[in-house]
Amino acid sequence: MSQSLKLIKEHASNPKFWLIIGVGVAGIVVLVETRRRTRRNKTHKQDFGAFVERFEILPFPQLPPSAAKQSLSALTFAINETFDVKDYVTGFGNPTWKSTHKKAEKTALVVTALLKSGATCVGKTVVDEFSFGISGENKYYGTPTNPRMPSCAPGGSSCGSAVAVAAGLVDFAVGTDTIGCVRIPAAFCGIFGFRPSHGAVSTIGVLPNAQSLDTIGWFACDPSILHRVGHVLLQLSSVETKRSRRIIFADDLFQLSTIPTQRTIHVIGKAIENMSGYQDPKHLNLCQYIDSKVPSLRLHEQSTHRQNETSILKTLSSVMLSLQGYEFKTNYEEWVKSLKFKLGRVSDHVIAAISTVYDNIKALYKVRTEMRGAFQSLLKDDGILVIPTVADSQLKLNTTKGFSSEFHDRTFALSSIASVSGCCQVTIPLGYHDGCCVSVSFISFHGADKFLLDAVLDIYSTLREQVSVGFDLVSLPDISGNMETSELLKEKGNAAFKERQWSKALSYYTEAIKLNGTNTTYYCNRAAAHLKLGCFQHAAEDCSKAILLDKKNVKAYLRRGAARESLLCYEEALEDFKHALVLEPQNKDASLAEKRLRKLMS
């Protein structure tokens, strides 16, 4: 008999013995579970936790030389978990949904259009369960890490797509925007986010949340990429439309924002001051305007007993959420009820939407119709309404603020404007203030998508220059020792770059340039960070400044060539690589790049 069995036989009648055995077994179970969770978390945080599935779908074959070049050639993108991809199950952010549905037979039209334009799809990203929610937290797949602010929520519901772009994992990403689901994560992650006019982009092959509000939106770090993707998805012509632009500030909405109002307004005002085609900005009380132009909303407000000025937006957001709940219930009530005892596996949002009785639905749709007319009248064919994207700074992870009704009310009050009116809206990053990402939104009338994308591309470089003056983008670190401040900042930038913290590196290099704007290396290093973040136009501009300072800087020519190649400026890129070879005839990178471009252009 073994020693272990003998020991058990001798002490079998002793309760304390079995207690010790039980504690030991429990300890083993806890240890195993802890290790399992650690392994899961390590795996989950790979790629900032942005992806649910990784795969690669290559673009369609290149068109013949005589035809137009593929406009998104060499770019990578991700899609959230609501888009169909042939032979993959569309998960909708919920494993129960995934287990009860079959693989898609076709790929969503949006994804096909991007592949035809030369882009490569690299996977599906995390989405809030059933596209409900604005925090970016998914209890099944976890919360993707916000690359700009790791201690804060990334925003949702298209959280994974926003994180993938902000982290530089893809050049652009696609998501769905129903009640702010692209605009809010774009603001929280400090990137561009575009919600097109309702119905402007096909939703075939995309799981709906609420059809009268749903749109297909996209994210990018660079306005030129945002613009190029827009031309593909909106099927726009590249013909330049000459028209003036009227900037209208919604002064009352900026009063909702925790970011000082005058700073934002000043930055935009200064940016357009000397630009051609922009009229002097106007100022408007938007709540009063909506109140006067949308009588159905005023009746709805009276029925809910809300009678102060800003409450009109609270009422508007109530209409938006009611429409969302009603249409979601219409779409999925049968499936949810088929779960029976599995109801606990879906979120409170879903249960609330399914169990609510919706009265007077026609009145809700009437509000939507009147809102579209009101904004068409306000913006006409040349107006751009400027509002804050979000009213509050990013939510800290694991705090009760995420469930605050006040936070939701203030956020939905702003997002409901474009959602209910069907207008197009773009979120524009403005750097940082008090350690948090700051953004502003431009809204234009339904159908003015090209006009709005052109305006962003037109104004952003000037806006960015004004931002560096108008906002405290990065607080200078404490300096010690004898090293010059700018050199220390450069070294900190290099360290961040090696750790693949591209945005942090960019901030340090920018501060170094502010202190010493004649150092070639600072511009060249910042260009490298811009390239990693997909900001190709900015990378090219930095390299041009570096070359002005030092005409023999080989790295600057190589990086400008890479940026221009990504911008499809092949002839200019080829000249840069040839110049690098003149300076360093044995440079392998320049030689390979020149051969690649000659082959591409032949």
Side-chain angles (χ1 to χ4, degrees):
M1 184 181 295
S2 70
Q3 191 68 26
S4 299
L5 290 174
K6 187 176 180 181
L7 186 65
I8 292 172
K9 189 174 181 180
E10 289 176 0
H11 298 279
S13 59
N14 188 340
K16 291 183 178 179
F17 174 77
W18 291 110
L19 178 62
I20 293 169
I21 292 293
V23 170
V25 170
I28 293 170
V29 170
V30 170
L31 181 62
V32 170
E33 176 65 11
T34 300
R35 287 179 176 175
R36 185 187 69 80
R37 290 186 179 185
T38 301
R39 285 196 302 271
R40 183 186 67 185
N41 289 337
K42 283 181 179 178
T43 303
H44 181 71
K45 288 305 176 185
Q46 183 180 356
D47 289 340
F48 293 81
F51 287 88
V52 174
E53 290 181 281
R54 275 285 209 173
F55 50 73
E56 184 177 71
I57 306 176
L58 296 175
F60 285 36
Q62 174 71 52
L63 297 171
S66 58
K69 293 283 185 182
Q70 291 174 307
S71 59
L72 302 181
S73 179
L75 298 184
T76 58
F77 72 99
I79 54 178
N80 77 20
E81 228 196 347
T82 63
F83 290 79
D84 285 346
V85 172
K86 187 179 179 181
D87 296 329
Y88 288 86
V89 180
T90 309
F92 219 175
N94 178 277
T96 305
W97 173 275
K98 196 168 188 176
S99 67
T100 56
H101 287 79
K102 297 179 181 179
K103 294 178 180 179
E105 295 181 358
K106 295 181 179 179
T107 297
L109 288 185
V110 163
V111 180
T112 301
L114 295 170
L115 294 171
K116 283 182 177 179
S117 296
T120 300
C121 183
V122 298
K124 288 192 176 186
T125 56
V126 177
V127 65
D128 280 18
E129 188 182 8
F130 299 106
S131 298
F132 273 109
I134 56 171
S135 68
E137 297 171 303
N138 185 304
K139 64 182 178 183
Y140 303 107
Y141 302 113
T143 304
T145 301
N146 185 335
R148 303 284 201 261
M149 306 287 294
S151 63
C152 296
S157 63
S158 297
C159 48
S161 289
V163 165
V165 169
L169 304 175
V170 290
D171 297 302
F172 67 94
V174 184
T176 50
D177 189 308
T178 304
I179 58 171
C181 317
V182 164
R183 293 162 286 167
I184 293 166
F188 282 3
C189 292
I191 57 176
F192 291 89
F194 190 80
R195 174 193 164 95
S197 299
H198 184 259
V201 178
S202 172
T203 56
I204 294 175
V206 184
L207 289 173
N209 179 280
Q211 288 91 325
S212 69
L213 304 172
D214 288 343
T215 59
I216 306 302
W218 55 96
F219 303 93
C221 280
D222 189 299
S224 65
I225 293 179
L226 191 83
H227 193 267
R228 286 157 61 188
V229 173
H231 272 249
V232 169
L233 295 185
L234 295 159
Q235 300 180 348
L236 300 173
S237 69
S238 57
V239 177
E240 181 67 24
T241 54
K242 299 289 185 182
R243 76 172 74 151
S244 63
R245 298 182 175 105
R246 287 184 301 120
I247 297 292
I248 306 168
F249 290 107
D251 288 344
D252 52 329
L253 300 195
F254 279 100
Q255 298 304 317
L256 293 174
S257 176
T258 56
I259 303 300
T261 303
Q262 292 307 316
R263 290 197 180 197
T264 305
I265 293 175
H266 174 76
V267 162
I268 298 170
K270 291 293 289 183
I272 66 173
E273 202 171 70
N274 298 313
M275 293 184 68
S276 62
Y278 288 83
Q279 300 178 23
D280 291 338
K282 306 295 183 185
H283 296 266
L284 173 76
N285 185 308
L286 189 66
C287 289
Q288 288 181 0
Y289 178 80
I290 293 174
D291 190 36
S292 67
K293 296 291 184 179
V294 188
S296 294
L297 188 61
R298 196 160 61 247
L299 291 171
H300 190 78
E301 182 186 32
Q302 290 168 3
S303 69
T304 53
H305 307 293
R306 296 190 178 99
Q307 294 297 322
N308 61 61
E309 190 173 278
T310 56
S311 69
I312 198 76
L313 288 184
K314 171 64 177 171
T315 308
L316 184 66
S317 63
S318 173
V319 169
M320 175 183 74
L321 295 173
S322 295
L323 279 172
Q324 182 191 31
Y326 169 72
E327 293 183 353
F328 184 89
K329 180 177 181 176
T330 303
N331 293 329
Y332 302 113
E333 181 177 20
E334 185 178 339
W335 177 79
V336 173
K337 288 186 174 178
S338 73
L339 296 177
K340 296 178 182 176
F341 65 92
K342 297 179 182 178
L343 271 177
R345 298 186 185 181
V346 296
S347 68
D348 294 339
H349 293 294
V350 173
I351 295 172
I354 298 300
S355 58
T356 300
V357 176
Y358 299 92
D359 298 320
N360 202 9
I361 293 301
K362 287 184 179 179
L364 302 180
Y365 288 109
K366 190 173 182 182
V367 169
R368 191 186 64 157
T369 302
E370 290 179 358
M371 276 288 290
R372 182 170 297 186
F375 276 78
Q376 195 75 31
S377 176
L378 172 68
L379 300 173
K380 297 184 171 63
D381 65 348
D382 63 350
I384 296 173
L385 181 69
V386 183
I387 70 169
T389 309
V390 290
D392 296 279
S393 54
Q394 294 97 313
L395 293 173
K396 293 288 185 182
L397 291 170
N398 305 315
T399 63
T400 55
K401 187 182 178 183
F403 305 99
S404 140
S405 60
E406 181 185 354
F407 175 85
H408 283 86
D409 287 350
R410 287 156 60 83
T411 303
F412 289 142
L414 295 171
S415 66
S416 63
I417 295 166
S419 288
V420 180
S421 68
C423 291
C424 49
Q425 177 176 338
V426 61
T427 297
I428 303 172
L430 291 183
Y432 300 87
H433 177 74
D434 287 344
C436 293
C437 294
V438 177
S439 73
V440 71
S441 273
F442 287 0
I443 295 177
S444 202
F445 57 94
H446 183 271
D449 303 78
K450 184 181 188 307
F451 170 71
L452 189 57
L453 286 167
D454 286 351
V456 174
L457 195 60
D458 181 52
I459 197 176
Y460 187 64
S461 60
T462 308
L463 188 61
R464 191 165 172 265
E465 291 173 7
Q466 292 300 324
V467 163
S468 64
V469 178
F471 282 91
D472 176 21
L473 292 180
V474 181
S475 298
L476 286 174
D478 291 331
I479 302 300
S480 58
N482 298 321
M483 187 182 288
E484 285 188 13
T485 304
S486 59
E487 276 297 298
L488 180 56
L489 286 166
K490 183 202 77 174
E491 292 303 320
K492 285 180 176 287
N494 292 347
F497 192 94
K498 288 177 182 177
E499 294 295 324
R500 302 173 64 85
Q501 297 175 342
W502 319 124
S503 297
K504 193 173 182 180
L506 185 70
S507 298
Y508 282 127
Y509 294 143
T510 298
E511 289 303 316
I513 288 169
K514 285 182 184 178
L515 294 174
N516 183 359
T518 60
N519 189 301
T520 307
T521 303
Y522 299 168
Y523 286 108
C524 204
N525 287 8
R526 189 169 72 172
H530 277 310
L531 284 172
K532 291 294 185 182
L533 290 168
C535 302
F536 304 121
Q537 188 62 48
H538 296 323
E541 290 169 2
D542 274 347
C543 290
S544 295
K545 290 174 183 175
I547 291 167
L548 282 174
L549 294 168
D550 178 8
K551 296 187 182 300
K552 295 184 178 181
N553 191 308
V554 175
K555 285 184 179 179
Y557 284 109
L558 287 174
R559 289 170 186 172
R560 189 170 70 175
R564 286 174 167 176
E565 183 179 355
S566 296
L567 292 168
L568 307 185
C569 301
Y570 296 137
E571 291 183 1
E572 292 177 351
L574 183 60
E575 289 301 314
D576 279 333
F577 294 135
K578 285 165 63 178
H579 208 111
L581 278 173
V582 169
L583 294 171
E584 285 186 10
Q586 303 304 316
N587 191 297
K588 291 182 180 180
D589 290 337
S591 179
L592 289 172
E594 185 195 28
K595 290 176 182 177
R596 181 179 66 251
L597 273 180
R598 288 190 184 282
K599 186 176 180 181
L600 194 64
M601 295 168 65
S602 64

